[in-house]
């Protein structure tokens, strides 16, 4: 059971790291009003216009995990039996 759980956890970490993750934050004044993951919700607050601002944090890995070529060398081992 622990092995399956660890495999699922590693799969989720790998998928998030390759697909990327976007975290959106909405601030009313200096107070954090809402946080969204993978989506951005446009929340309105009671503070006058101009006091609110939004922040987006994007996390992505730019490496490509595609193998373009592989070299395999097989050495022949000759054994003499008596």
């Amino acid at each position: 059971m622990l092995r399956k759980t660890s495999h699922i956890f590693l799969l989720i970490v790998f998928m998030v790291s390759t697909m990327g993750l976007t975290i959106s934050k909405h601030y009313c004044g200096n107070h954090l009003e809402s946080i969204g993951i993978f989506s951005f919700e446009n929340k309105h607050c009671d503070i006058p216009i101009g006091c609110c601002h939004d922040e987006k944090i994007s996390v992505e890995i730019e490496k490509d995990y595609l193998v373009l070529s592989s070299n395999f060398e097989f050495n022949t081992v000759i054994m003499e039996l008596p």
Side-chain angles (χ1 to χ4, degrees), residues 25-34 45 47 51-54:
K25 298 185 218 176
H26 178 75
Y27 288 94
C28 289
N30 291 329
H31 179 67
L32 178 63
E33 194 66 30
S34 66
C45 52
I47 297 176
C51 294
C52 297
H53 67 280
D54 300 318

Side-chain angles (χ1 to χ4, degrees), residues 2-3 12 15 17 35 59:
L2 179 63
R3 189 174 187 181
I12 291 170
M15 287 180 64
S17 65
I35 296 177
V59 179

